[in-house]
Amino acid sequence: KSFFAVDIAASIATGTAFFSSSVKQGPVFYIAGEGHNGLSRRFLGWEIAHTIAIPAGALYKSSGAMQVLNEESCQSVSDQIFEVCERLGQAPRAIIIDTLARNYGAGDENSTEDMSRFILHIDRWFRARFTTFVATVHHAGHNMERARGSSALKAAVDSECEVTKDESGAIRVRFTKMKEAECPPDLLLRLSSVELPGVVDDEGQPVTSASLKVADDLINSKIAERSTGEGVTAKEVMTLLHTEFVSVRVLGERLKVSKSTAERIIKRLKSWQFIDDKSVTDAGKNALAGTGFFITQEDKRVDQRGHLPA
């Protein structure tokens, strides 16, 4: 979730498209409650991965947390942002709070009264004062079905998205609320390792960070393993299902895997939205097309150049 927030912040600070969506460039203020050294490496990793330097005066990172439930703390941070923006001659384009728990203060996340005060102070000292976008990074609850704590938070926000990672490393960004628009399609992402030039650890080994990229390699990834140790790729399964959408039992027989393994394969492909309960989805067909195969209107396979087989 923090890598996702870093990508938002860096994209806005540099005016770089956020996964093909345009942004309005402007100063960004990142209020981090923890991991400040790691945060600097993540921004550096973003710059290297995108070959774009974040210009001076575009991104400001806090050296510590604020206590949002304490209005004096909120006002102090707000005043500091105001002073910086006065010097810049620009209003802040985004303020990102990472995480809610580390910037909450002395209160109970489950208390509607405390959460309502959190929302009030964010609105008063950041959203209303600067008329800007404020994002809050938050944890999911123990059942992973919604954000942790009082539901007053979701009721107050304009938009909400859920960021999850599965066992394969695929990261799904699913939008669960959009107040003024339709929820956009899910994003499937991966973390890509980035070596930080000139940065070494205590043993002289290179230090790495990571940056998010679109997960366009999922179709070729190994999603299961046969008892022989041979891997089963998503492409193998998708090619089979596109030819004939079979039951879990039949799928297991044709792939020579157990029924439980076939069930896990189906669950994984559904989580990537490559299939639904009845067929291969458009996303699944597009993923297959990227490997050099596609299905024509006559339902015949063609090669990457669009030629029918002899």
Side-chain angles (χ1 to χ4, degrees), residues 279-299:
S279 63
V280 174
T281 64
D282 287 342
K285 293 175 185 177
N286 290 337
L288 267 178
T291 69
F293 295 99
F294 198 73
I295 304 299
T296 67
Q297 290 182 346
E298 293 80 21
D299 205 30

Side-chain angles (χ1 to χ4, degrees), residues 152-222:
L153 180 63
K154 180 165 184 173
V157 299
D158 292 330
S159 62
E160 177 191 62
C161 67
E162 172 190 79
V163 182
T164 55
K165 183 167 72 170
D166 66 23
E167 299 86 347
S168 73
I171 298 167
R172 177 176 294 283
V173 181
R174 182 173 70 93
F175 290 83
T176 53
K177 179 180 179 181
M178 290 292 286
K179 187 176 180 181
E180 303 294 342
E182 292 292 325
C183 285
D186 293 0
L187 272 173
L188 277 175
L189 310 171
R190 276 195 187 279
L191 280 173
S192 177
S193 181
V194 179
E195 185 173 316
L196 306 182
V199 183
V200 296
D201 60 19
D202 294 338
E203 298 178 353
Q205 297 300 312
V207 172
T208 62
S209 184
S211 182
L212 289 171
K213 65 175 185 177
V214 174
D216 52 7
D217 60 337
L218 293 179
I219 189 68
N220 292 309
S221 65
K222 188 177 84 170

